[in-house]
Amino acid sequence: VPVTNGITDYYSGIGDSISMNVSVDANPLRVTFVDWINYDVVLTDKVDTLSTSTVFINEVTEFHFGVYNITAHNDIGSVVLQVNLHHAGVPEAPVSLEIIDRSYDSLSILLSPGYDGGYSGNTAQYLEYRSTSQASFQSWPSDGMGTRNTTIWIMQLKPSTAYEIKAKTGNIYGIGQFSTTYVFITYREPIVNLNDQTGIIKWTRHEDMKYQCVKIEKLERNDNWIIEENCLDRDVVEYTVKDNNAEYRVTYCSRDNTCEGHHFKATKGTDYADRVESCNTVAIVIGVLVSLLGGCVIGFLIGFILIKRVITKNAKQ
C-alpha cells in the first residue's frame, strides 16, 4: 500500500499562495489520490501523478490551516495520508544565550532559537550588547542586518567588564521580541613583566581553568620566535630567563598544546615589589638628608644667636 516518503509539514502566512505535495512509495506504483480534506475545507485544485499529489491555494485564509487527510489507494489497498499546514508568523524570542568560550577581550555565545515562525533556515538573529556602564546598546553585527549563525563571537571588548547581551529573531513576517537580558563578564587582562635587573619574568594566572600551562617564547635577532619553555605548570607564575635583554612573550595553553590565540609581551622594568623597595630606599635617604639639613639649619641659628650676644656684650664693655 502507499507509504509517505516526503515532507508532510508546510508553513504559510495569511494571504500567501502555496503549493503542497504528498509523495509516496507503493507497489504496484500507480496510486490514486482522493481530494485533500480538512474538516469543511476541500482542496480540489490539484495535479496527480503515479506517486504524487500536488494541491494549490492561491490565497491562504485562517480556515486553510490544519491537518489534511488524503486517501490514497493502489491494487493492494487504501490508506489515509496526512499533511499539516501551519500558520507561519513572527518568530519567538530566543530561548537562551549561553557562553561557550570567553577571553579578556571577547565572548563566544551560543544562541538557542525559539519557534522560528515556520521558516526554519530562513531566519536571522539580531544581537545587541553593552557594558553595564554604557547607556545604549550596540548592534552585532554592527550593520544591524543580523546573522544566520547561532554561534556568535563578539570581539574588541574591554577586560574585566560585565556586558549585558540580548537577542531576537526575524523572518519575512517581521522581527520578534528580545530575549531575556544576560550578563557575562570578560576575563582580566593578563599582566606579564620582565624584571631587567633580576632576569625574572612573571605573569598572572589565567582565570580559565582549561589553560593548565604557559608557553614562553623569545624573539631572536632574525625576528623569529623560539620556544624557551613549552608548558610550564599552571601553578608556576615566574621563570628566570637566559637573556634579560631579549624580548619575551607568554601564551596560555592546555596540556594538549592547544594555546590561546593571543600572545602577551613582557613589559620590561622592575616589578612592583622592587619598585616599593626602591621607593622605600629613596624615602629613607631623603629622610636622612632632610634630618641632616634640618640639624645644620638649627645649629646655624644657635651659633648666630650666640655670636650676636657676644658681640653685643663686647660692645657694652
Side-chain angles (χ1 to χ4, degrees):
V1 296
V3 177
T4 304
N5 66 1
I7 297 172
T8 57
D9 288 283
Y10 289 86
Y11 299 86
S12 174
I14 293 177
D16 293 347
S17 61
I18 189 173
S19 65
M20 296 184 291
N21 172 273
V22 61
S23 176
V24 298
D25 288 325
N27 186 19
L29 187 57
R30 173 172 286 278
V31 177
T32 302
F33 298 91
V34 183
D35 293 336
W36 294 44
I37 302 174
N38 175 14
Y39 293 103
D40 294 334
V41 177
V42 179
L43 303 181
T44 58
D45 184 7
K46 66 188 182 77
V47 174
D48 295 341
T49 68
L50 294 178
S51 61
T52 64
S53 178
T54 304
V55 294
F56 305 91
I57 304 175
N58 292 327
E59 185 175 349
V60 175
T61 68
E62 188 69 39
F63 300 105
H64 285 108
F65 299 115
V67 177
Y68 287 87
N69 294 308
I70 309 108
T71 301
H73 60 84
N74 63 2
D75 292 343
I76 304 301
S78 297
V79 293
V80 176
L81 310 175
Q82 291 188 329
V83 172
N84 197 352
L85 178 58
H86 302 274
H87 187 178
V90 176
E92 295 177 351
V95 174
S96 66
L97 277 68
E98 178 184 354
I99 282 289
I100 57 176
D101 198 7
R102 62 174 171 156
S103 183
Y104 74 98
D105 61 351
S106 64
L107 294 170
S108 182
I109 298 167
L110 178 63
L111 186 150
S112 298
Y115 171 62
D116 58 21
Y119 280 84
S120 179
N122 294 291
T123 57
Q125 313 300 330
Y126 300 87
L127 186 140
E128 293 188 1
Y129 69 97
R130 69 177 178 185
S131 67
T132 52
S133 62
Q134 291 178 309
S136 58
F137 282 88
Q138 296 175 254
S139 296
W140 191 99
S142 58
D143 58 12
M145 300 300 290
T147 175
R148 295 188 183 277
N149 297 326
T150 54
T151 300
I152 297 167
W153 196 293
I154 308 175
M155 311 292 287
Q156 298 179 339
L157 301 179
K158 296 179 181 179
S160 303
T161 303
Y163 283 90
E164 296 179 342
I165 303 175
K166 58 184 180 179
K168 55 186 177 181
T169 305
N171 62 12
I172 63 173
Y173 293 102
I175 299 176
Q177 299 296 314
F178 271 115
S179 67
T180 301
T181 299
Y182 295 78
V183 178
F184 303 110
I185 303 174
T186 53
Y187 286 132
R188 293 190 303 269
E189 184 173 14
I191 299 173
V192 183
N193 177 267
L194 172 60
N195 188 318
D196 55 8
Q197 295 179 2
T198 63
I200 297 177
I201 186 171
K202 295 182 179 180
W203 56 91
T204 53
R205 185 180 285 108
H206 205 294
E207 294 176 83
D208 194 339
M209 285 297 297
K210 72 182 179 183
Y211 297 119
Q212 289 292 311
C213 63
V214 166
K215 178 171 65 176
I216 297 178
E217 296 172 286
K218 172 186 174 183
L219 183 63
E220 295 283 84
R221 292 182 179 179
N222 58 5
D223 291 333
N224 290 326
W225 290 93
I226 62 169
I227 297 176
E228 289 276 306
E229 289 290 339
N230 193 51
C231 191
L232 285 176
D233 188 79
R234 174 182 175 83
D235 292 330
V236 177
V237 292
E238 67 177 49
Y239 172 76
T240 301
V241 301
K242 300 178 179 63
D243 180 7
N244 57 353
N245 293 316
E247 184 176 339
Y248 290 85
R249 70 184 184 186
V250 163
T251 308
Y252 296 89
C253 304
S254 60
R255 295 294 187 196
D256 61 357
N257 205 30
T258 300
C259 298
E260 193 175 50
H262 304 280
H263 305 290
F264 304 96
K265 290 187 179 181
T267 302
K268 288 189 177 182
T270 55
D271 63 18
Y272 177 76
D274 292 331
R275 290 197 298 271
V276 171
E277 183 179 352
S278 177
C279 288
N280 289 341
T281 303
V282 172
I284 292 171
V285 172
I286 292 175
V288 171
L289 291 176
V290 169
S291 299
L292 293 174
L293 180 60
C296 293
V297 171
I298 293 172
F300 174 78
L301 291 175
I302 293 173
F304 176 77
I305 293 171
L306 291 176
I307 292 173
K308 185 176 181 182
R309 286 181 178 180
V310 171
I311 293 174
T312 301
K313 184 177 180 180
N314 290 337
K316 289 180 178 180
Q317 293 176 347

